[in-house]
């Protein structure tokens, strides 16, 4: 047995899972078919809950290249319809504008720091599993070889070989009427409005906002400055019902220019960037919305795009996939190490598949609302009116951020905190003066006790090899509960009720510990 866990795919999701497993004491092996990281950027940022998740692992500051916690955006959009988030009590829209190439670089550096073995230029070619292990055929730089692993995780993208060879169905739809084109381009200052950066061209009825999906009769146009490409914009256009373009026809800058002209109904004087590349020039024909029928088949699990594909609108892809990785990591490690309670690994699918369905739903809705047509315009006007209501704005923001999904913790859920993300992590302080959030950097469960009642720590004594027991103080922030038990992924599995003769401070704690972290020792 070469490795307890092999991860097929060294993109952001596979690398983050490798880090999670290593933090939990498991040594994974990552197989990546590319000999080196691709210089072509795919995603252009991180959106939603994943930003705070990376913060509790100590990775946010590396990616942001600055100190301090992330701040939510005051404005966002839903299918190009503006969302004013300034009045929300709990604004979930955290965004980190960082190209995927940088995300992969930071995660690979972190994985190597932790001692993860990453084999670049090694492609999985076949697999078969039995009751004890998965046998893998691999093609590497020095030829073909075979290895066995206790568990295989397919993080190998939408065309996943792992998913196909395991026989997991991938139902869904493909909108073949759609085509998008995107590329880096220099847009002259003469057509940009000083201060706002809006695009103003003769013949356009309105100025077009940057960082927005501007819907026009001919399609959708968007543009944004890119810190990774100084002096250039990322220009993108969506069109429907155009003549098909052959998959093998190379994308050209002239094709991008013509697509922009059709959508805008006017010529945009843009040029190729003069700075060193590589520069993006990409055409995507069709939009897939698909989800794996199951995320697990025996000793094989799916992660990220191997489990779900959808439109890139709204930036939900890495938010969904990287949260999958953080959910799966500690559970798979518990299974490998032998202390996982019955059914723990199955909760990866029961918790994350609904989150995937939510993303497919909202991205499909956004794409439908961008299509041309007067009926769609009327629907957008109605939705814009509904978004004038603060509660509706909050619900849509939570949907886009992926914060609207709570988990069923399977025991006493009378307290509303149970199943939810631990709120205000940085506000609560451990006895040594460090934020409790920093205790989660080790990817271990944390029992934060604000009561000072020895019975709470005593109740958890049998789990101290797996759970960090922290005497905590609230600081200036109101307490969420007298004590909370937090999983490694930041979700609360138990919260103490107000103490009474019938319900002591540790009521229900042992049951929660056994449910999620196995039998006491």
């Amino acid at each position: 047995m070469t490795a307890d866990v092999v991860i097929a795919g060294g993109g952001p999701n596979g690398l983050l899972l490798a880090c999670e497993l290593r933090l939990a004491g498991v040594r994974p092996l990552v197989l990546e078919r590319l000999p080196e990281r691709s210089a072509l950027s795919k995603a252009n940022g991180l959106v939603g809950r994943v930003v705070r998740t990376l913060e509790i692992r100590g990775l946010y500051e590396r990616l942001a290249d600055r100190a301090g916690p992330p701040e939510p955006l005051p404005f966002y959009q839903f299918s190009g319809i503006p969302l004013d988030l300034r009045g929300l009590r709990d604004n979930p829209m955290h965004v980190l504008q960082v190209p995927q190439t940088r995300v992969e670089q930071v995660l690979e550096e972190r994985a190597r720091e932790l001692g993860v073995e990453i084999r670049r230029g090694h492609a999985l070619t076949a697999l078969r599993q039995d009751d004890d292990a998965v046998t893998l055929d691999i093609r590497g730089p020095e030829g073909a070889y075979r290895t066995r692993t206790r568990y295989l995780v397919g993080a190998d993208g939408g065309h996943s070989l792992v998913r196909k060879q395991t026989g997991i169905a991938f139902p869904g739809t493909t909108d073949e009427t759609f085509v998008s084109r995107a590329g880096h381009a220099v847009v002259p200052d003469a057509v940009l409005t000083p201060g706002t950066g809006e695009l103003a061209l003769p013949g356009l009825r309105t100025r077009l906002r940057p960082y927005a999906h501007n819907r026009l009769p001919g399609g959708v146009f968007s543009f944004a400055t890119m810190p990774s490409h100084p002096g250039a914009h990322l220009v993108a256009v969506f069109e429907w019902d155009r003549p098909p373009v052959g998959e093998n026809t190379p994308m050209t800058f002239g094709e991008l220019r013509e697509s922009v002209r059709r959508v805008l109904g006017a010529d945009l004087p843009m040029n190729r960037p003069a700075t060193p590349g590589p520069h993006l020039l990409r055409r995507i024909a069709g939009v897939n919305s698909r989800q794996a029928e199951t995320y697990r088949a025996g000793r094989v699990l799916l992660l990220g795009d191997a489990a779900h594909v959808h439109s890139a609108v709204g930036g939900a892809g890495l938010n969904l996939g990287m949260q999958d990785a953080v959910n799966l990591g500690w559970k798979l490690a518990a299974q490998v190490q032998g202390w996982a309670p019955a059914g723990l690994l199955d909760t990866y699918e029961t918790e994350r598949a609904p989150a995937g369905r939510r993303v497919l739903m909202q991205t499909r809705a956004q794409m439908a609302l961008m299509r041309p047509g007067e009926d769609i315009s009327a629907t957008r006007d109605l939705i814009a009116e509904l978004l004038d209501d603060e509660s509706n704005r909050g619900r849509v923001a939570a949907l886009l951020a992926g914060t609207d999904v709570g988990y069923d913790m399977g025991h006493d859920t009378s307290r509303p905190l149970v199943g939810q993300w631990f709120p205000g992590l940085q506000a609560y302080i451990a006895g040594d003066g460090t934020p409790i959030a920093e205790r989660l950097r080790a990817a271990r469960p944390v029992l934060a006790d604000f009561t000072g009642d020895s019975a709470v720590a005593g109740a958890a004594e049998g789990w101290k090899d797996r759970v960090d027991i922290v005497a905590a103080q609230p600081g200036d922030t109101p307490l969420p509960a007298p004590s909370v038990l937090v999983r490694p992924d930041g979700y609360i599995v138990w919260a103490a009720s107000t103490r009474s003769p019938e319900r002591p401070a540790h009521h229900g704690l042992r049951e929660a510990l056994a449910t999620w972290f196995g039998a006491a020792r």
Side-chain angles (χ1 to χ4, degrees):
M1 197 77 68
T2 300
D4 286 322
V5 178
V6 170
I7 302 169
N13 300 317
L15 289 170
L16 183 58
L17 176 63
C19 292
E20 292 292 298
L21 288 168
R22 190 68 198 98
L23 284 169
V26 171
R27 289 190 176 273
L29 168 63
V30 178
L31 302 175
E32 171 51 53
R33 62 180 181 82
L34 296 178
E36 57 186 30
R37 287 191 305 274
S38 173
L40 292 176
S41 186
K42 298 176 183 177
N44 295 302
L46 301 172
V47 178
R49 169 62 47 80
V50 67
V51 177
R52 302 304 304 270
T53 301
L54 292 174
E55 179 192 17
I56 65 173
R57 289 295 188 266
L59 292 168
Y60 171 78
E61 290 187 355
R62 286 196 191 193
L63 288 165
D65 198 24
R66 63 175 182 271
E71 295 292 335
L73 289 182
F75 299 97
Y76 205 66
Q77 58 178 324
F78 177 78
S79 190
I81 301 171
L83 276 176
D84 185 346
L85 307 176
R86 292 173 295 179
L88 294 185
R89 184 173 60 87
D90 295 311
N91 181 355
M93 289 309 305
H94 294 90
V95 175
L96 178 57
Q97 191 175 2
V98 56
Q100 182 169 324
T101 51
R102 174 62 177 160
V103 175
E104 291 183 7
Q105 177 189 352
V106 168
L107 290 176
E108 183 171 338
E109 290 171 353
R110 178 57 173 155
R112 293 190 186 278
E113 289 170 6
L114 293 170
V116 173
E117 182 181 359
I118 301 172
R119 297 182 187 174
R120 286 200 165 273
H122 291 247
L124 177 66
T125 58
L127 66 97
R128 54 199 172 278
Q129 64 172 310
D130 53 44
D131 291 342
D132 300 318
V134 186
T135 302
L136 310 177
D137 291 335
I138 303 163
R139 186 180 63 252
E142 298 179 0
Y145 63 98
R146 180 171 292 172
T147 191
R148 278 167 68 81
T149 179
R150 291 179 65 185
Y151 290 93
L152 170 67
V153 179
D156 51 343
H159 299 287
S160 171
L161 175 82
V162 173
R163 186 188 65 240
K164 292 174 182 177
Q165 293 214 351
T166 308
I168 297 174
F170 204 39
T173 61
T174 300
D175 180 359
E176 296 180 348
T177 70
F178 169 84
V179 62
S180 72
R181 296 176 176 87
H184 290 125
V186 176
V187 178
D189 291 340
V191 297
L192 300 175
T193 305
T196 65
E198 293 174 326
L199 178 65
L201 288 175
L204 288 179
R205 296 181 180 179
T206 184
R207 294 174 177 174
L208 305 181
R209 295 175 293 123
Y211 302 99
H213 291 103
N214 296 279
R215 181 173 174 269
L216 299 156
V220 174
F221 173 82
S222 66
F223 67 109
T225 57
M226 302 302 298
S228 57
H229 290 75
H233 284 77
L234 176 62
V235 173
V237 280
F238 298 172
E239 292 183 276
W240 285 265
D241 301 318
R242 295 289 306 169
V245 180
E247 290 184 6
N248 297 324
T249 303
M251 172 75 170
T252 66
F253 194 82
E255 181 182 334
L256 176 63
R257 190 194 304 274
E258 283 301 306
S259 182
V260 170
R261 183 190 60 77
R262 288 193 299 268
V263 170
L264 295 182
D267 287 317
L268 175 61
M270 62 183 195
N271 298 298
R272 296 173 181 270
T275 54
H279 299 297
L280 178 67
L281 200 58
R282 181 176 65 209
R283 179 201 311 119
I284 299 176
V287 177
N288 280 305
S289 298
R290 299 181 179 276
Q291 187 170 21
E293 194 169 64
T294 180
Y295 284 21
R296 179 189 179 193
R299 293 181 174 273
V300 179
L301 299 105
L302 302 179
L303 175 66
D305 287 356
H308 38 66
V309 293
H310 50 82
S311 164
V313 64
L318 288 179
N319 186 31
L320 179 61
M322 294 174 79
Q323 284 192 79
D324 289 349
V326 175
N327 185 287
L328 173 61
W330 69 275
K331 297 173 181 177
L332 185 53
Q335 191 76 17
V336 168
Q337 292 167 339
W339 58 261
L344 178 67
L345 194 53
D346 291 329
T347 66
Y348 166 56
E349 179 174 340
T350 58
E351 291 181 350
R352 295 308 299 165
R357 287 191 287 272
R358 298 287 286 172
V359 169
L360 263 69
M361 178 269 286
Q362 58 100 340
T363 53
R364 279 173 163 160
Q366 290 193 73
M367 291 300 296
L369 287 168
M370 288 184 184
R371 295 183 73 102
E374 293 186 4
D375 290 345
I376 299 296
S377 296
T379 305
R380 290 174 65 89
D381 289 343
L382 174 60
I383 290 175
E385 286 188 16
L386 294 174
L387 291 177
D388 283 338
D389 179 82
E390 182 178 324
S391 64
N392 288 338
R393 288 199 304 277
R395 291 183 65 179
V396 170
L399 174 67
L400 296 176
T403 61
D404 61 332
V405 177
Y407 298 147
D408 180 2
M409 293 303 171
H411 49 87
D412 181 10
T413 57
S414 59
R415 291 197 61 83
L417 287 172
V418 174
Q420 302 301 313
W421 175 266
F422 185 14
L425 282 169
Q426 294 289 355
Y428 306 113
I429 308 300
D432 61 3
T434 60
I436 291 176
E438 293 187 7
R439 296 301 182 97
L440 289 172
R441 290 189 178 185
R444 283 170 56 87
V446 173
L447 173 61
D449 176 33
F450 300 95
T451 66
D453 188 334
S454 61
V456 174
E461 181 70 17
W463 288 268
K464 65 180 181 180
D465 61 315
R466 283 153 282 164
V467 178
D468 286 338
I469 303 170
V470 180
Q473 53 192 2
D476 297 326
T477 304
L479 290 174
S483 302
V484 290
L485 176 61
V486 185
R487 299 190 325 191
D489 56 354
Y491 284 82
I492 297 173
V493 300
W494 171 83
S497 302
T498 304
R499 201 178 340 183
S500 69
E502 296 78 22
R503 294 174 69 92
H506 61 279
H507 176 78
L509 175 57
R510 288 191 181 92
E511 179 186 359
L513 286 161
T515 298
W516 291 100
F517 310 120
R521 291 179 181 172

